[in-house]
Amino acid sequence: MENIANGVWKYRWGEPEKHTPTTYREFEIQHEALARLVCGGKPPIAQRDIHVARSSRGVRIELPLGADEQVYGFGLQLHRVNHTGRKKMIRVNSDPVADTGDSHAPVPFYVSTAGYGVFVDTSRYATFYCGTNLRKGDSASKENVKRSIGTSESELYAYKGTDVSRSVLVDVPAAEGIDVYFFEGPDLRTAVQRYVLFSGGGCLPPMWGLGIWYRAYSAARKDDVMKLAAGFRKERMPVDVFGFEPGWQTRAYSCSFVWDEERFPRHQEMLDRLYEMDYKVNLWEHLFVHPTSPMYDALSPHSGDYEVWEGLVPDLSIQEAKRIFADHHREAFVDRGISGFKLDECDSSDYVHSNWSFPDVSSFPSGMDGEQMHNQIGTLYQSAILAPFEAAGKRTWSQVRASGALASPYPFVLYSDLYDHKVFIRGIVSSGFSGLLWTPEVRQAASAEDLIRRVQTVIFSPLALLNCWRIPNPPWVQVDREKNKAGIVMSDYESVQRICRELFELRMSLIPYLYSAFAKYWQEGLPPFRALAMDYPDDAAAQQIDDAYMMGDSILVAPLTADSSERTVYLPAGSWRDFWTHERYEGGSSYSFAYGLDRIPIFVKDNAILPLAVPLQHVREDAVFELTVRMYGDSPKECLLFEDDGNSLSYREGRYNWVRLRPGAEGAGEVERRGSFEGMKYKIKEWVSFK
Amino acid sequence: MENIANGVWKYRWGEPEKHTPTTYREFEIQHEALARLVCGGKPPIAQRDIHVARSSRGVRIELPLGADEQVYGFGLQLHRVNHTGRKKMIRVNSDPVADTGDSHAPVPFYVSTAGYGVFVDTSRYATFYCGTNLRKGDSASKENVKRSIGTSESELYAYKGTDVSRSVLVDVPAAEGIDVYFFEGPDLRTAVQRYVLFSGGGCLPPMWGLGIWYRAYSAARKDDVMKLAAGFRKERMPVDVFGFEPGWQTRAYSCSFVWDEERFPRHQEMLDRLYEMDYKVNLWEHLFVHPTSPMYDALSPHSGDYEVWEGLVPDLSIQEAKRIFADHHREAFVDRGISGFKLDECDSSDYVHSNWSFPDVSSFPSGMDGEQMHNQIGTLYQSAILAPFEAAGKRTWSQVRASGALASPYPFVLYSDLYDHKVFIRGIVSSGFSGLLWTPEVRQAASAEDLIRRVQTVIFSPLALLNCWRIPNPPWVQVDREKNKAGIVMSDYESVQRICRELFELRMSLIPYLYSAFAKYWQEGLPPFRALAMDYPDDAAAQQIDDAYMMGDSILVAPLTADSSERTVYLPAGSWRDFWTHERYEGGSSYSFAYGLDRIPIFVKDNAILPLAVPLQHVREDAVFELTVRMYGDSPKECLLFEDDGNSLSYREGRYNWVRLRPGAEGAGEVERRGSFEGMKYKIKEWVSFK
């Protein structure tokens, strides 16, 4: 075993494949940040306990798993958070309808409550059997307790646990050798941080990226767009980013990457007008290149041997293909003010009613096959789109529908067409284990209640997105699609709009706190959105929770869904304060909470300091946040805010401050700034104590 | 290309794997029957049009597919019948929730409307891309028609067809070589017959197997069983086979294969009493062997390296393991009168809430790995269970939840826990293309209407099964599970029971017709239940139908589901007669039909002769069917009935008759018997003409 960074170990067996996630690594291991983490200095799994074998199928890896260990990770997992006793296949796929491991962003990485992480460096559809089976004979030696006869499937197939040590079996197809990386703890959370820092650290959004996003109707024309944009400002609905769906292009399935001058005549004028109104503009696309695209001929020799939707599949692992793709995006879009993209359809599908994407047996000029390309294409695509922004010295905050291993440095947030609200909440809980970001976007809603409950979840996520591609008017005036298209408003739309506005404003007030949580993600590898099991790995109740999560270090979010205005919230060890009533609750217990439509269950750690900004309508470059600083409890602990220009890449050269908020004399607080950023993004409006 | 039988061609590329379906073939190619089919004498696909390549992933095969060709097959496929434009993975799996190819009985075989079949001899999870993608550049040369912008997923992802020749791409993991078999037509139906005869021909059920089956409550005890059994006879509800669910064994998950003397004291007395009442008895089991089983120690050395549910996974491809397994079944069950088994849980699962079965990376003493074993275990298990019946010279009619390639000779009918009624109907339509049999079993029902509509479907299937494992009382007295358990009957149970009785009697009256259709399956390889696309491959409307099917040569069945008492039925070319009203309809058109709860849309070919028996309560060895022979139309065509002892294997030695029913003088009919069976199973009661 090779110690490749502080607390990171590499075990090589045989001759690994040429195309793996580390082959396409773009960001360096963050050695300095890793060195700042406590480290035991020995591999969490001893080499003698690792068993690897090769067959015609590929490589089989057997790793030990203690009877008590709980396993998390595998990227964005929408159907389950705790994977103990389960089988997970690492295969990129849209609309994963069942708990198979298929995901928009599957990652061959897991962490254990025993305080370590394991990354298998492969782009294959590897399968992880997490203690699913005992070895032959292990049950014969156990005491055999007779069970009652089941009369339902759930009784028959229930996972019954075990008191015997098991293994994690990893099935890596096609490979003849493998690199396995082990990440020390001492605890689960630190193991995750190590994996993120090994990936290159977390991304830092521009501050405007944390505002409200609105994506407009797919068939919208220029006038429709301008009417919506003016409407938000007029009605004081905070919106930072305006998103165009497929209709902006001359061809969308596959893509021309060219503005449609019929729907959007003089489109640059329209864009400039939107910029004047302080909107950032985000464009939908996917990466399949239509024959009418100006990139077609140049990309053709660098593309796979099968088409998707009449379009080329460019091999973006080839530098020349990436350059052609990035250059077009820079010239046509980034240099003309476009702030980001929504990278759709890069995930492939086996589960929608008409499956699509290139075959796993495709071949690509780089030598990758379709299977490898499927699991790599999400990050390669992010890399190609990020390039023009990096070249221009600008940050982007974008969306992507496929991602994977080592992806935490990419400033892209995942989304999905799966739309069950509980599934979407679970996505926030699960994605952090692999250093990924996920938005539970709001699209259609079954009712005004459903709309509001979904908005409440999305404002506590990395991207506060309303994706209204199927409706011409905002959902807060009409949730029913047909009525929305007919321009009929809901009778109670004013109160629905008011509640939405207040929730958007709540999001805007949380930007400084949230931005600072992202700065920790960048510097320390700590995901801003985390499962309770990550912060409380030894808490048996927290281990199973998939419907509540931490946002930053101080806030616990427990969303409600439309089926009930009441829910149970488990609060882990320590004291907690209700965000709304400030009431104190002792942790280690579950409580039932009921909230009206305008509130969501949020809890703040007692003795935390929480800055809330006066909500802006949008975050301009010169924005300054006026803070009301809440100080909870008898001995509030220092709170750190990250401060920089919020837009450029100068933070990487150290042009930032850490602003410390702490209790001062006479119930007020005091502020200390450290760092080399000369501007000032935060201004204290008031200090408020809740003893 | 090697011509290995009349109209059957073999193409070998590289060095095929050691463990494939043909490796474990138990039944010989039916050369004589194949020789009776019309044959063009040349391979349906020329060798120069077949492209095979090898990579580290395995073997990739490319076969031509014309722009107009429609593709069917791939075994039991519950979510789609016509696979053109789709990707299908051949992986055995229970509860396939989406249209991925996963199935209880996936088969690497497809047929085309162009009149040929292709079988890829592999036990791997092969994937077939049926014209899903064009080759790079093919779209650039097409006229590119601009499409409107989609505003819904169904618009975006709709399969748009093509006017360009495509290919079928086959992805065979792990293999270094492959055998591909091609089956000539001239038409699709004949290609299917060739595949079935290549597999060894179709199975022939015992006549009692075509009666009504009832599986009792999982937690039933001896008294409960006897009460049910006596009740059916008393209330004149025809039942031939009584099924025991898991509770009969001392251990069920995994299995002990030993009667539980606590729930069933003196079980042999109980069985003998059931036999006296003319019941056949069928026992539930699966093949995972519990440590307390008497077979455990003997099977242990012949088992895979991982357990399932605390039990061994015996490698039944090893002759000694098969012998141990078969001997126990013979001594403990078959020699004691048990007529068959229900082989559960042999399919593995990735889709239920707790996935189970052995890992794909398991290894088995034969050298098979888990992947190969998963796709083979269904037929290996059927083989081991069939062995004691063959040794005893008896037929069985049994159930199995996993099957695969070359399985048509096994007298086992597939079933599933997926329970959507339309999905279940589709299973009947799809399974015939690969020579498989499927029962849309009736379990719970949402309402009395749902129960009756489901019974109507199941009586027009290979196995007329009510699987009441979750309810202690028959569903016709109470469909609600909780009320059923509490012994509360429905207010209208008498009319529900009456309708069920009449439907059971309808099934009983169809036994001679159905049994004869099975004899054609055995002799000619023609599946008794078939899609309309099999009999009318050139009919564009028939190509898409997945909710109606042929039963035998003369009857078209178009089931209703609980959501409507009306439906559209497409009748292909020719004249058709309503089974109930005898009204004539011209084919080549669709009609809307409405039926009350006691009727199901059934159509008989005009000029067919259809024998209907006076319904028996059950089919004893000495049963004689009294026939009312319906003669439709002006020039009824001869109808052939198969006649033998209905129980033994003597039909294989030619001890059977073909009984010819044809029009005679003066509106009556005449009967001619040819063959060497000396008994007489059919007696004419009357001839009825419908001009």
Side-chain angles (χ1 to χ4, degrees):
Chain A
M1 281 235 215
E2 186 189 350
N3 185 209
I4 61 156
N6 191 43
V8 183
W9 302 82
K10 174 176 167 181
Y11 174 66
R12 171 164 292 189
W13 188 92
E15 183 68 39
E17 290 196 287
K18 194 179 151 201
H19 305 282
T20 72
T22 57
T23 311
Y24 298 104
R25 162 195 285 287
E26 252 195 315
F27 298 90
E28 288 177 10
I29 298 175
Q30 299 296 298
H31 285 282
E32 284 178 31
L34 280 164
R36 282 191 287 270
L37 299 174
V38 179
C39 172
K42 78 179 219 284
I45 293 178
Q47 193 170 324
R48 66 176 174 280
D49 294 329
I50 305 167
H51 302 286
V52 189
R54 195 188 145 199
S55 74
S56 64
R57 298 184 76 252
V59 161
R60 157 177 156 163
I61 309 164
E62 218 175 340
L63 299 166
L65 185 73
D68 290 338
E69 283 183 56
Q70 307 293 310
V71 169
Y72 302 87
F74 303 121
L76 173 72
Q77 287 293 334
L78 294 172
H79 293 287
R80 193 173 295 251
V81 171
N82 182 336
H83 304 298
T84 319
R86 304 287 303 181
K87 168 186 177 184
K88 291 287 137 85
M89 182 168 66
I90 303 308
R91 179 173 72 160
V92 80
N93 232 296
S94 78
D95 307 285
V97 292
D99 180 28
T100 54
D102 286 294
S103 164
H104 298 281
V107 179
F109 170 73
Y110 67 90
V111 283
S112 160
T113 49
Y116 65 89
V118 177
F119 170 61
V120 178
D121 185 29
T122 181
S123 302
R124 295 287 169 201
Y125 300 158
T127 301
F128 290 73
Y129 295 84
C130 307
T132 52
N133 297 69
L134 296 183
R135 287 190 189 78
K136 178 166 75 173
D138 278 4
S139 291
S141 56
K142 293 196 307 180
E143 195 183 351
N144 268 293
V145 183
K146 194 168 170 179
R147 297 200 188 89
S148 61
I149 289 294
T151 60
S152 70
E153 285 91 345
S154 57
E155 287 172 76
L156 295 182
Y157 298 132
Y159 174 67
K160 299 191 176 77
T162 178
D163 48 6
V164 177
S165 285
R166 299 150 296 170
S167 52
V168 173
L169 263 175
V170 192
D171 179 7
V172 186
E176 303 188 355
I178 197 76
D179 286 331
V180 185
Y181 294 83
F182 297 92
F183 301 88
E184 293 184 50
D187 52 24
L188 186 153
R189 173 171 145 149
T190 311
V192 170
Q193 287 179 268
R194 282 189 210 281
Y195 167 74
V196 172
L197 293 171
F198 170 77
S199 304
C203 57
L204 185 68
M207 286 193 103
W208 56 259
L210 301 180
I212 305 296
W213 291 49
Y214 188 97
R215 304 201 74 92
Y217 192 43
S218 193
R221 293 172 166 267
K222 185 178 175 179
D223 293 346
D224 307 315
V225 163
M226 294 315 297
K227 192 177 144 212
L228 276 171
F232 300 151
R233 294 293 181 246
K234 179 165 162 253
E235 307 200 3
R236 298 195 61 74
M237 298 300 284
V239 173
D240 260 291
V241 182
F242 196 95
F244 285 77
E245 286 290 298
W248 71 271
Q249 292 185 63
T250 54
R251 304 293 177 122
Y253 279 80
S254 47
C255 288
S256 64
F257 306 91
V258 170
W259 277 93
D260 186 327
E261 284 290 328
E262 189 196 317
R263 269 184 297 267
F264 298 99
R266 302 185 310 281
H267 68 272
Q268 191 61 42
E269 268 179 45
M270 171 189 72
L271 293 175
D272 290 340
R273 181 76 194 96
L274 289 170
Y275 302 155
E276 281 164 26
M277 295 164 81
D278 292 315
Y279 288 107
K280 307 292 180 196
V281 173
N282 180 294
L283 298 180
W284 175 98
E285 60 165 60
H286 58 61
L287 85 171
F288 308 120
V289 181
H290 193 265
T292 61
S293 171
M295 295 189 282
Y296 187 89
D297 290 338
L299 284 173
S300 182
H302 308 297
S303 296
D305 56 350
Y306 278 91
E307 298 179 351
V308 176
W309 294 316
E310 312 189 330
L312 297 173
V313 186
D315 184 341
L316 296 174
S317 76
I318 305 264
Q319 285 309 307
E320 179 61 8
K322 180 180 171 181
R323 189 195 59 72
I324 295 162
F325 208 80
D327 281 358
H328 179 78
H329 279 78
R330 178 166 183 179
E331 289 155 22
F333 311 119
V334 177
D335 283 351
R336 299 179 188 206
I338 298 298
S339 75
F341 296 88
K342 172 183 173 180
L343 313 185
D344 208 17
E345 316 290 19
C346 43
D347 42 16
S348 146
S349 182
D350 292 291
Y351 297 110
V352 295
H353 65 91
S354 178
N355 51 10
W356 51 267
S357 205
F358 50 88
D360 292 339
V361 287
S362 299
S363 65
F364 286 86
S366 61
M368 266 197 269
D369 57 45
E371 176 184 359
Q372 293 170 312
M373 184 59 87
H374 274 304
N375 273 0
Q376 283 295 148
I377 206 166
T379 44
L380 291 171
Y381 192 11
Q382 291 170 67
S383 166
I385 293 296
L386 180 59
F389 291 100
E390 291 272 324
K394 284 194 248 184
R395 276 180 245 177
T396 179
W397 199 232
S398 284
Q399 297 188 253
V400 69
R401 218 173 68 185
S403 196
L406 312 180
S408 56
Y410 291 105
F412 289 77
V413 180
L414 290 155
Y415 63 98
S416 174
D417 287 349
L418 276 191
Y419 198 61
D420 182 89
H421 192 177
K422 288 180 180 175
V423 162
F424 268 30
I425 295 166
R426 195 180 295 124
I428 308 178
V429 182
S430 79
S431 52
F433 287 108
S434 309
L436 295 172
L437 302 170
W438 156 259
T439 175
E441 67 173 29
V442 181
R443 303 173 81 154
Q444 65 272 25
S447 62
E449 183 191 1
D450 185 33
L451 173 70
I452 290 166
R453 292 307 189 196
R454 286 175 178 277
V455 169
Q456 287 170 348
T457 303
V458 88
I459 63 166
F460 289 93
S461 86
L463 192 73
L465 172 65
L466 279 78
N467 178 13
C468 303
W469 74 283
R470 296 173 81 249
I471 46 175
N473 295 298
W476 53 78
V477 302
Q478 179 55 264
V479 295
D480 181 89
R481 187 183 179 210
E482 292 314 312
K483 289 183 183 156
N484 191 298
K485 286 165 78 174
I488 303 164
V489 302
M490 297 184 290
S491 58
D492 59 346
Y493 86 92
E494 286 182 333
S495 95
V496 174
Q497 179 166 6
R498 178 185 55 76
I499 293 173
C500 286
R501 184 187 296 113
E502 287 169 5
L503 291 167
F504 293 178
E505 289 173 351
L506 175 57
R507 168 72 175 201
M508 299 307 286
S509 74
L510 284 161
I511 289 180
Y513 171 82
L514 191 50
Y515 188 61
S516 305
F518 270 101
K520 270 187 105 164
Y521 181 43
W522 166 53
Q523 289 196 333
E524 300 173 21
L526 183 64
F529 293 84
R530 305 189 294 276
L532 300 187
M534 201 186 305
D535 284 20
Y536 304 89
D538 299 326
D539 181 330
Q543 286 172 359
Q544 306 305 331
I545 287 172
D546 68 350
D547 61 358
Y549 52 89
M550 296 300 298
M551 177 169 100
D553 289 337
S554 305
I555 294 179
L556 187 156
V557 184
L560 284 163
T561 54
D563 50 11
S564 175
S565 58
E566 190 172 342
R567 65 162 284 172
T568 298
V569 179
Y570 175 75
L571 297 172
S575 285
W576 296 84
R577 306 293 288 261
D578 184 303
F579 177 83
W580 307 97
T581 66
H582 317 300
E583 201 172 327
R584 181 182 280 107
Y585 295 89
E586 280 314 304
S589 295
S590 290
Y591 299 89
S592 184
F593 293 97
Y595 289 89
L597 250 190
D598 54 348
R599 289 190 176 182
I600 170 175
I602 323 169
F603 302 88
V604 186
K605 275 186 188 164
D606 205 11
N607 294 313
I609 291 181
L610 179 67
L612 293 174
V614 173
L616 300 172
Q617 287 293 302
H618 45 79
V619 185
R620 293 199 342 197
E621 288 208 19
D622 59 0
V624 173
F625 293 88
E626 281 189 274
L627 306 180
T628 293
V629 184
R630 291 186 178 186
M631 295 189 289
Y632 291 98
D634 296 325
S635 50
K637 290 191 189 67
E638 187 177 71
C639 160
L640 274 73
L641 288 181
F642 185 79
E643 187 176 55
D644 74 340
D645 70 14
N647 276 287
S648 79
L649 305 180
S650 65
Y651 68 97
R652 297 190 194 156
E653 279 73 56
R655 307 278 281 186
Y656 60 83
N657 301 326
W658 280 108
V659 182
R660 287 152 193 271
L661 308 179
R662 58 189 170 220
E666 318 256 323
E670 61 177 46
V671 180
E672 187 197 348
R673 272 190 167 71
R674 293 187 201 163
S676 61
F677 173 64
E678 285 167 10
M680 202 202 261
K681 284 284 175 189
Y682 308 120
K683 207 164 80 178
I684 304 296
K685 184 181 167 205
E686 57 181 337
W687 301 85
V688 191
S689 275
F690 302 102
K691 295 289 180 190
Chain B
M1 281 231 216
E2 186 187 351
N3 184 211
I4 61 157
N6 191 43
V8 183
W9 302 81
K10 175 177 167 181
Y11 175 66
R12 169 164 293 190
W13 188 93
E15 183 68 38
E17 290 195 288
K18 194 179 151 201
H19 306 281
T20 72
T22 58
T23 312
Y24 297 104
R25 162 195 283 288
E26 251 195 316
F27 298 89
E28 287 175 13
I29 299 175
Q30 300 296 297
H31 285 282
E32 283 178 33
L34 279 163
R36 283 191 287 268
L37 298 174
V38 179
C39 173
K42 78 177 221 281
I45 293 179
Q47 192 170 324
R48 67 176 173 279
D49 294 329
I50 306 168
H51 302 285
V52 190
R54 194 190 146 198
S55 74
S56 63
R57 299 184 75 252
V59 160
R60 155 178 158 163
I61 308 164
E62 218 174 340
L63 299 166
L65 185 73
D68 290 338
E69 283 183 57
Q70 306 292 311
V71 169
Y72 302 86
F74 304 121
L76 173 73
Q77 287 293 336
L78 293 172
H79 294 287
R80 193 172 295 250
V81 171
N82 182 336
H83 304 297
T84 318
R86 303 288 304 180
K87 169 184 176 185
K88 291 287 137 87
M89 182 169 67
I90 303 306
R91 179 173 71 161
V92 79
N93 232 298
S94 78
D95 306 286
V97 291
D99 180 28
T100 53
D102 287 294
S103 163
H104 298 282
V107 180
F109 170 73
Y110 68 89
V111 283
S112 160
T113 49
Y116 65 89
V118 177
F119 170 61
V120 178
D121 186 28
T122 181
S123 302
R124 295 287 168 202
Y125 299 158
T127 301
F128 289 73
Y129 295 85
C130 307
T132 52
N133 298 69
L134 296 184
R135 286 189 192 78
K136 178 166 77 173
D138 278 5
S139 291
S141 55
K142 292 197 307 180
E143 194 183 352
N144 268 294
V145 182
K146 194 168 173 181
R147 297 200 187 90
S148 61
I149 288 294
T151 60
S152 70
E153 285 91 344
S154 57
E155 288 173 75
L156 295 182
Y157 299 134
Y159 173 67
K160 301 191 175 78
T162 179
D163 49 5
V164 177
S165 284
R166 299 150 295 170
S167 53
V168 173
L169 264 176
V170 193
D171 178 10
V172 186
E176 303 188 355
I178 196 75
D179 286 331
V180 185
Y181 294 83
F182 297 92
F183 302 88
E184 292 184 48
D187 52 24
L188 187 153
R189 174 172 143 148
T190 311
V192 170
Q193 286 178 269
R194 282 189 210 280
Y195 166 75
V196 172
L197 293 171
F198 170 78
S199 303
C203 57
L204 184 68
M207 287 192 100
W208 55 259
L210 300 180
I212 306 295
W213 291 50
Y214 188 97
R215 304 202 73 92
Y217 191 44
S218 194
R221 293 171 167 264
K222 184 177 177 179
D223 292 348
D224 307 317
V225 163
M226 295 315 297
K227 192 179 143 209
L228 278 170
F232 301 151
R233 294 295 181 246
K234 181 167 159 253
E235 307 199 2
R236 299 196 60 75
M237 297 300 284
V239 173
D240 260 290
V241 182
F242 195 96
F244 285 77
E245 287 288 298
W248 71 271
Q249 292 186 61
T250 53
R251 303 295 176 119
Y253 279 79
S254 49
C255 289
S256 65
F257 306 91
V258 170
W259 278 92
D260 186 328
E261 284 290 327
E262 191 197 317
R263 269 183 297 266
F264 298 100
R266 301 184 311 280
H267 68 273
Q268 192 61 42
E269 270 180 44
M270 171 190 71
L271 293 175
D272 290 340
R273 182 75 195 95
L274 288 169
Y275 302 154
E276 281 164 27
M277 295 163 79
D278 293 314
Y279 286 108
K280 306 292 181 198
V281 173
N282 180 294
L283 298 180
W284 174 98
E285 61 166 59
H286 59 61
L287 86 170
F288 308 120
V289 182
H290 192 265
T292 60
S293 170
M295 295 190 282
Y296 187 90
D297 290 339
L299 284 173
S300 182
H302 308 299
S303 296
D305 56 350
Y306 279 91
E307 299 179 350
V308 176
W309 293 319
E310 312 189 329
L312 297 173
V313 186
D315 185 341
L316 296 174
S317 76
I318 305 265
Q319 284 309 306
E320 179 61 9
K322 180 180 172 182
R323 190 195 58 73
I324 295 163
F325 208 80
D327 282 359
H328 178 77
H329 280 77
R330 178 164 187 182
E331 287 155 23
F333 310 119
V334 178
D335 284 353
R336 299 179 187 204
I338 298 300
S339 75
F341 297 86
K342 171 182 173 181
L343 312 185
D344 209 16
E345 315 290 21
C346 42
D347 41 16
S348 148
S349 182
D350 291 290
Y351 297 108
V352 295
H353 66 91
S354 178
N355 52 11
W356 50 267
S357 205
F358 49 88
D360 291 340
V361 286
S362 300
S363 65
F364 287 85
S366 61
M368 266 198 268
D369 57 44
E371 176 184 357
Q372 294 170 310
M373 184 58 87
H374 274 305
N375 273 0
Q376 283 296 147
I377 206 166
T379 44
L380 291 171
Y381 192 11
Q382 291 171 65
S383 165
I385 294 295
L386 180 59
F389 291 101
E390 291 272 325
K394 285 193 248 186
R395 275 181 246 176
T396 180
W397 199 232
S398 283
Q399 298 187 253
V400 69
R401 218 174 68 188
S403 196
L406 312 180
S408 56
Y410 292 104
F412 288 77
V413 179
L414 289 155
Y415 63 98
S416 175
D417 286 350
L418 278 190
Y419 198 61
D420 181 88
H421 192 178
K422 288 180 179 174
V423 163
F424 268 30
I425 294 166
R426 196 178 295 125
I428 307 179
V429 182
S430 79
S431 52
F433 287 107
S434 309
L436 295 171
L437 303 170
W438 157 257
T439 175
E441 66 173 28
V442 181
R443 303 173 81 155
Q444 65 272 24
S447 62
E449 182 190 1
D450 185 35
L451 173 71
I452 290 166
R453 293 306 188 198
R454 287 175 179 275
V455 169
Q456 287 171 350
T457 303
V458 87
I459 63 167
F460 289 93
S461 86
L463 192 73
L465 172 64
L466 279 78
N467 179 12
C468 303
W469 73 283
R470 296 174 81 248
I471 46 175
N473 296 298
W476 53 77
V477 302
Q478 179 55 263
V479 294
D480 181 87
R481 187 183 179 210
E482 292 313 313
K483 288 182 184 158
N484 190 298
K485 285 166 78 173
I488 303 164
V489 303
M490 298 184 290
S491 58
D492 59 346
Y493 87 92
E494 285 182 334
S495 94
V496 175
Q497 180 166 6
R498 177 185 56 74
I499 293 172
C500 286
R501 184 188 294 112
E502 287 170 7
L503 291 167
F504 292 179
E505 288 172 352
L506 174 58
R507 168 73 175 199
M508 299 308 285
S509 75
L510 285 161
I511 288 179
Y513 170 82
L514 191 51
Y515 188 61
S516 305
F518 269 101
K520 269 187 104 163
Y521 182 43
W522 166 54
Q523 288 196 334
E524 300 173 22
L526 183 66
F529 293 85
R530 306 189 292 277
L532 300 187
M534 202 187 302
D535 284 21
Y536 304 89
D538 300 326
D539 181 330
Q543 285 173 357
Q544 306 305 332
I545 286 171
D546 68 350
D547 61 356
Y549 52 88
M550 297 298 299
M551 176 170 98
D553 289 337
S554 305
I555 295 179
L556 188 156
V557 183
L560 285 163
T561 53
D563 50 11
S564 175
S565 58
E566 191 172 342
R567 66 161 283 172
T568 297
V569 180
Y570 176 75
L571 297 173
S575 286
W576 297 83
R577 306 295 289 260
D578 184 303
F579 177 83
W580 308 98
T581 66
H582 317 300
E583 201 171 326
R584 180 182 281 108
Y585 295 90
E586 280 315 304
S589 295
S590 289
Y591 299 89
S592 185
F593 293 97
Y595 289 89
L597 250 191
D598 53 347
R599 289 190 176 182
I600 169 174
I602 323 169
F603 303 88
V604 185
K605 275 187 188 164
D606 204 11
N607 294 313
I609 291 181
L610 179 66
L612 293 173
V614 173
L616 300 171
Q617 286 294 300
H618 44 78
V619 185
R620 293 198 343 195
E621 289 208 17
D622 58 2
V624 174
F625 293 88
E626 282 188 273
L627 305 180
T628 293
V629 183
R630 292 187 179 184
M631 294 189 292
Y632 291 98
D634 296 326
S635 52
K637 290 193 190 66
E638 187 177 71
C639 160
L640 275 74
L641 288 181
F642 184 78
E643 187 175 57
D644 74 339
D645 69 14
N647 275 286
S648 79
L649 305 181
S650 66
Y651 69 97
R652 297 189 193 158
E653 277 75 56
R655 306 277 282 185
Y656 60 83
N657 301 326
W658 280 108
V659 181
R660 287 150 193 275
L661 309 179
R662 58 187 169 222
E666 318 255 324
E670 61 177 45
V671 180
E672 187 198 347
R673 273 192 166 71
R674 292 187 202 161
S676 62
F677 173 64
E678 286 167 9
M680 201 200 261
K681 284 284 175 188
Y682 308 119
K683 208 164 80 178
I684 305 296
K685 187 182 164 202
E686 56 181 339
W687 301 85
V688 190
S689 275
F690 302 103
K691 293 290 182 193

